[in-house]
Amino acid sequence: LRRKYATKFQTLKDGVRRAKDRLEREEEQYSQSRTSSVVSIGQTIMGAILGRRVSSSAGTSVRSYGRASKEKNDIDRAESNLEVCVNRYHDLESEFERAVAELEDKLDVENLTFEELTITPRKSDILIEEFCLCWLPWKVDDEGIAEAVY
């Protein structure tokens, strides 16, 4: 079971890792884009206060703000993708636990049935490597009680 599920677990772990990496990348891009947008809007406002042309810098500021909102949407999609990957991993863990429980139930000693099988030895199955004879003298008295003489 472990071998069977190992590749599936590894694939999902890699997917979760990639989803986390993408989320971090999207958050970083959003942070940079938001900062750029704030700076651009600040420059436009300062330019308007100081009497410079506002039309082209205002358009740039709006586009910058649009990119920042797009990056925010990318973060939402990355979070959703990460959540899906994590849920798949947890589903696979649950499936693995169920498979292990089924196997344990199947192999539980209480659930096993045994048959009695008599195996008669063959002459070729018997091997005597060393034979010894030991004699210990005993003496039996008149009352029939044995007593060791050694």
Side-chain angles (χ1 to χ4, degrees):
L1 278 178
R2 291 186 201 281
R3 233 178 296 129
K4 176 183 174 185
Y5 280 89
T7 56
K8 294 177 183 180
F9 275 119
Q10 190 60 44
T11 300
L12 290 177
K13 281 181 186 177
D14 291 343
V16 169
R17 183 187 46 78
R18 283 192 306 271
K20 284 181 181 178
D21 291 345
R22 181 170 181 229
L23 178 61
E24 289 174 5
R25 187 174 55 249
E26 295 296 341
E27 286 174 343
E28 184 178 317
Q29 288 174 355
Y30 173 68
S31 175
Q32 290 173 353
S33 181
R34 185 181 60 202
T35 303
S36 173
S37 178
V38 168
V39 168
S40 179
I41 291 171
Q43 286 176 341
T44 301
I45 292 172
M46 287 301 290
I49 292 173
L50 298 175
R52 294 191 184 138
R53 284 185 19 194
V54 178
S55 63
S56 66
S57 61
T60 302
S61 298
V62 170
R63 282 192 300 276
S64 176
Y65 180 76
R67 281 190 298 271
S69 64
K70 178 196 167 287
E71 294 296 336
K72 180 67 174 158
N73 291 337
D74 289 345
I75 288 174
D76 293 339
R77 281 192 297 275
E79 286 174 343
S80 173
N81 186 31
L82 176 60
E83 186 177 328
V84 166
C85 290
V86 168
N87 287 339
R88 285 181 183 164
Y89 186 82
H90 290 307
D91 290 345
L92 185 63
E93 280 181 330
S94 299
E95 180 183 329
F96 178 72
E97 293 300 323
R98 277 194 305 274
V100 168
E102 287 176 13
L103 187 60
E104 285 176 347
D105 287 344
K106 185 178 177 183
L107 298 177
D108 187 20
V109 175
E110 300 296 324
N111 297 336
L112 294 177
T113 57
F114 296 98
E115 295 178 13
E116 186 175 322
L117 179 62
T118 305
I119 301 175
T120 55
R122 297 177 302 191
K123 198 174 185 183
S124 62
D125 293 334
I126 299 172
L127 176 65
I128 299 174
E129 291 186 15
E130 189 174 316
F131 178 78
C132 296
L133 179 63
C134 182
W135 177 68
L136 299 174
W138 287 75
K139 176 174 92 171
V140 179
D141 62 11
D142 295 335
E143 296 174 7
I145 298 176
E147 176 182 323
V149 181
Y150 53 92

